[in-house]
Amino acid sequence: MTAAAARKGRLILVPNTLDFGIEGEAVDLRQVIPDDVLRCAAGLQHWAAENAKTTRAFLKRVDALHPLSRPLQELQIQELPRPPKGGKPVTGDDAAWQALLAPALAGHDVGLISEAGLPAVADPGARLVALAHLAGIPVLPLSGPSSLLMALAASGLNGQSFAFVGYLPVEPAARTARLKELEQLSQRFQQTQLMIETPYRNEALLDALLAGLRPETRLTLSCGLTLVQGFSCSGTVAQWRKKRPALPDKVPAVFGLLA
């Protein structure tokens, strides 16, 4: 076997924008993603995607700035296996995951992309990255927007110690219990707790936060980051109870608390 044939491709982590699914709010890609990253994306022919449809939409936007190396319909875009329900970790070395890395093992670069933001962060693609390391495939992360880090930076909360806790339980009693637990952890370690919710349930989560947290706990909200109408606000729970911030409909948000 020649050295060229033995060379493995890379798993390249390609960032996406944060405007997915927000009608009429598409941003200029060059405002949120470096141009060199867009050039790299234009040259990739193999993709592992959370959602093939949104990946094609992203690549159409890339093509308008940097022509794709091949027509869009000729690119190989394979979807990640569906993650388990209930926020459980993605595990298992089944053939479906391994197949996504086959092009890299054959010497081709593979792009990993999420529906929004950085792949493998609050994203099922982390499993593919772990498998790439096990297979000796180089992993290359590219710069792009992360709603979690942007929200943390804009929060004024503790940026030296923080945790992303994902989605909270939907059932009210379990959600309240989880909030109490997070508030206690935050107070004990002076650690910022970050969380997200499906956009149509943002109001319900805000209701739970205002009802279940202590008045002196600091609460932050970052909504629609990188979009024209995006904003971040911060205050104590007591202040928010007096003047509740308005949440735009169907716009992704990141919530944070510090007790």
Side-chain angles (χ1 to χ4, degrees):
M1 180 179 294
T2 66
R7 187 188 70 84
K8 295 174 181 176
R10 300 168 295 176
L11 182 64
I12 300 179
L13 312 189
V14 180
N16 205 338
T17 63
L18 302 177
D19 58 13
F20 164 67
I22 306 174
E23 187 174 349
E25 290 295 343
V27 299
D28 185 331
L29 289 184
R30 292 166 295 189
Q31 292 181 354
V32 293
I33 299 177
D35 196 57
D36 283 348
V37 173
L38 299 177
R39 289 182 186 276
C40 178
L44 293 172
Q45 299 176 19
H46 301 271
W47 290 88
E50 184 178 5
N51 184 294
K53 181 179 179 181
T54 57
T55 298
R56 292 188 187 96
F58 169 78
L59 290 173
K60 285 181 181 179
R61 296 166 71 180
V62 171
D63 188 48
L65 301 172
H66 300 290
L68 302 179
S69 60
R70 288 187 179 180
L72 184 57
Q73 61 271 24
E74 294 182 12
L75 300 181
Q76 184 186 67
I77 302 176
Q78 300 185 77
E79 290 191 345
L80 303 177
R82 294 297 178 187
K85 294 183 179 179
K88 296 179 181 178
V90 179
T91 58
D93 292 339
D94 59 278
W97 284 97
Q98 298 288 354
L100 298 173
L101 295 173
L105 293 172
H108 305 286
D109 288 340
V110 176
L112 173 63
I113 188 168
S114 178
E115 285 194 290
L118 297 178
V121 178
D123 176 77
R127 180 61 184 163
L128 193 65
V129 175
L131 291 174
H133 285 299
L134 288 174
I137 295 170
V139 176
L140 175 64
L142 301 181
S143 300
S146 168
S147 61
L148 300 178
L149 292 181
M150 293 171 70
L152 177 65
S155 71
L157 305 184
N158 190 355
Q160 301 295 327
S161 177
F162 57 91
F164 172 61
V165 299
Y167 294 88
L168 301 190
V170 174
E171 196 276 320
R175 183 172 54 203
T176 298
R178 178 62 169 152
L179 282 175
K180 294 292 187 183
E181 179 185 35
L182 293 174
E183 190 175 45
Q184 292 171 2
L185 286 171
S186 177
Q187 184 176 37
R188 180 181 178 185
F189 298 108
Q190 275 301 285
Q191 183 181 70
T192 299
Q193 306 292 317
L194 300 173
M195 64 205 73
I196 57 175
E197 184 51 277
T198 303
Y200 73 86
R201 286 205 292 259
N202 279 339
E203 288 285 358
L205 177 55
L206 182 55
D207 287 341
L209 289 164
L210 295 181
L213 298 176
R214 296 194 296 265
E216 64 273 18
T217 293
R218 294 169 65 188
L219 183 62
T220 71
L221 166 66
S222 288
C223 190
L225 293 171
T226 73
L227 305 183
V228 173
Q229 84 276 25
F231 67 91
S232 294
C233 56
S234 181
T236 65
V237 170
Q239 291 171 330
W240 282 42
R241 286 172 180 169
K242 293 178 181 179
K243 188 176 181 181
R244 180 192 179 103
L247 277 169
D249 187 38
K250 299 179 181 179
V251 178
V254 179
F255 299 81
L257 69 88
L258 181 64

